[in-house]
Amino acid sequence: MDPSEPVIYLTFDDGPIPDVTEFVLEQLDKFAAQATFFCIGDNVRKHRNVFYQVIEAGHLIGNHTFNHLNGWKTDDDEYLDNIDRCRDQMRIETALFRPPYGRIKKSQAAEVLEQYAVVMWDVLSGDFDQSLSPEVCLRKTLQYTEPGSIVVFHDSIKAFPNMRYALPRMLRYFAMRGYEFRALPQPVLSVYE
């Protein structure tokens, strides 16, 4: 994103999950931070009330497939159907898609790009990596985040121990330096004949 302003774009993958996503919402609220949540359709189905909390707090929603499929290991038709199932479960319009694991075949991307902007990242917090300590997760996130960065955290049970430590400290660190936290801009997609 534009590196000329002190803005960070926080993103959260894999939710919504009770308690975990709600913790994230509390932390974001403390810093008047907006974020983008790339949701798993099956988690939306199971935890719709938490999903609505994200929306009611004014955050943006993105599609992250229904079952967190790895595009490299999935047949194109099954992958594209899984994206549609997530969309149908969310029942809201979004033009943002993030492929789980950052893995998508060119053939899949060609189809996806007709309906979505594919959003990757430049800072991966590593909160999901249970071999990393919470302190290392925080240090690496601070080290690589700069103006315009798109930072990935995960609102999942697996990532919670590291994310619970790193997220509030990261928010405080950058807020004290005058940074803003914004949701990703919702693109306007045009399909040309």
Side-chain angles (χ1 to χ4, degrees), residues 18 22 25 31-32 48 53 82 96 99 106-107 137 141 154 172 179 185 187-188:
E22 290 159 325
L25 294 174
F31 293 91
R48 188 161 301 280
Q53 288 176 43
N82 211 260
L96 301 174
K106 286 183 182 180
S107 53
C137 178
T141 302
H154 294 79
R172 188 177 319 112
Y179 278 74
V188 177

Side-chain angles (χ1 to χ4, degrees), residues 62-134:
N63 188 319
H64 200 47
T65 75
F66 190 83
N67 297 112
H68 204 266
L69 296 182
N70 182 331
W72 292 359
K73 298 179 180 178
T74 308
D75 171 77
D76 287 5
D77 288 339
E78 180 184 352
Y79 191 76
L80 297 169
D81 179 61
N82 211 260
I83 294 168
D84 290 345
R85 285 181 65 202
C86 180
R87 180 202 61 219
D88 294 345
Q89 193 59 234
M90 292 191 302
R91 301 180 197 150
I92 63 164
E93 291 296 319
T94 180
L96 301 174
F97 174 75
R98 174 171 285 157
Y101 314 101
R103 295 184 176 157
I104 186 169
K105 295 176 194 168
K106 286 183 182 180
S107 53
Q108 295 162 347
E111 294 285 328
V112 169
L113 287 168
E114 291 182 12
Q115 297 179 55
Y116 298 95
V118 175
V119 179
M120 299 306 242
W121 57 84
D122 63 302
V123 179
L124 185 61
S125 69
D127 54 357
F128 59 89
D129 186 344
Q130 296 173 331
S131 71
L132 291 180
S133 71

Side-chain angles (χ1 to χ4, degrees), residues 8 123 140-147 149 151 170 174 179:
I8 295 168
V123 179
K140 289 183 171 289
T141 302
L142 296 181
Q143 178 182 354
Y144 293 108
T145 301
E146 54 191 23
S149 281
V151 180
M170 187 255 195
F174 283 106
Y179 278 74

Side-chain angles (χ1 to χ4, degrees), residues 6-23:
V7 175
I8 295 168
Y9 298 89
L10 291 175
T11 64
F12 295 87
D13 289 5
D14 300 352
I17 299 292
D19 298 328
V20 179
T21 303
E22 290 159 325
F23 170 84

